Amino acid sequence: MKELKDIIAAFDAAHNAGRQTALATVVHVEGSSYRRAGARMLITEDGQLTGAISGGCLEGDALRKARLVMAQNKPMLVTYDTTDDDDAKFGVGLGCNGIIHIMIEPIFADRPDNPIQLFKQFLSKREPVVLITLFTMNDKQAPQPGTCLLLNKDEEIRGQFPDDAIKEALLQDAKHVLTNGNSVTKTYLYGDKFTCFIELLQPAVSLVLFGAGNDAIPLVQIAAALGWIIHLVDGRANYAVPERFPFAAKITISKPENALQYVKIDNRTVIILMTHNYNYDACVLKQLLPLSPSYIGVLGPKKRLQRMLDEFAGEGIETTPQQLESIFGPAGLDIGSENADEIALSIVAEMQAILKSRAGTSLRYKTTIHNHVAQQIVHQSMP
């Protein structure tokens, strides 16, 4: 979500300065690429770039194409095919051995449903939405609708269907993506072929950090760099202050028994207990168990966590297997961390792995980095 926020800020600045802008979006990938479908970059007429659609090799060519798009006021679908060994002919040196389809569209600031307004609508609420980008792959000279529609969990629609013939099928597929949780690319066969990138956008990760010691500072800094929303909670008013934690969106001073009444937890929330106060951490953990968040990290040795669980059992509070699945103690991945910065890195990496349902293993042991199954094009004939 940090990339979207940066793009919105860059657009607002360019618009206020009277500069024209275009949005480049990776809409489909076949094979290997540095960025997957959904990667975006805002381009201004004077060459400023915000976001990224590759590791840096496509940006220069995309800038040239974007200036043409802005001059013509018409979206364009650009394809980079590097499946052969001689990708130098594209002048980009991609070296990814894949086919990358990129939609480049001008941003019309006076249109209420332009992509930036759809992004702002998404960020205005903490809930998942589906964003729809429509294009035609078989005829790149045909009209390219681009980013055109947003659907939320209440089935409220923002934007316009570019073709009524595919409206019902597209709406049903969008609802399925919102429920199922995987983005998909589909081609609808009805007269013209419309290919649609139906993309699930998730709210930013919310990090609730119990503890305002010195070792919490680098953890907050790393999480902030990722665009996570940080809520810091501690009982020590002289520690939990904005001067020490300028990147925290919210700081709460509370006793442990009252702490959770100030905290909102959803399926995009990760939690770390690192007050270094055994009683405080234990009290908070006891209240967290029934909530079963995605990740509860507990700092300290395993025997410290086991002591807490044993005490809960002695009080008649049994910890279920599902609850144990969400507890990670000691918190963090095994990367040989010793100092506070390294420990913070290992904890945030573990949180990211859990949120993405990954094991946190080295990429050298994988044949592919991204899962492209959800991005394969599915053809659907319309009646």
Side-chain angles (χ1 to χ4, degrees), residues 130 132 134 149-152 154-158 161-179 186 188 196 198 380 382:
V130 167
I132 293 173
L134 212 61
L149 201 69
L150 183 142
L151 175 78
N152 65 16
D154 296 322
E155 298 186 13
E156 296 172 341
I157 298 171
R158 178 77 182 268
F161 284 95
D163 193 309
D164 286 339
I166 64 171
K167 178 177 179 179
E168 288 305 317
L170 184 53
L171 184 58
Q172 288 303 315
D173 289 332
K175 292 177 182 177
H176 179 74
V177 166
L178 194 57
T179 303
K186 295 194 70 171
Y188 301 89
C196 184
I198 309 173
Q380 179 170 328
M382 303 301 299

Side-chain angles (χ1 to χ4, degrees), residues 219 272 295 299 331-333 343-352:
L219 198 152
I272 180 71
Y295 179 100
L299 212 63
L333 297 180
I343 293 170
L345 176 62
S346 75
I347 292 172
V348 173
E350 184 176 53
M351 291 173 171
Q352 173 74 1

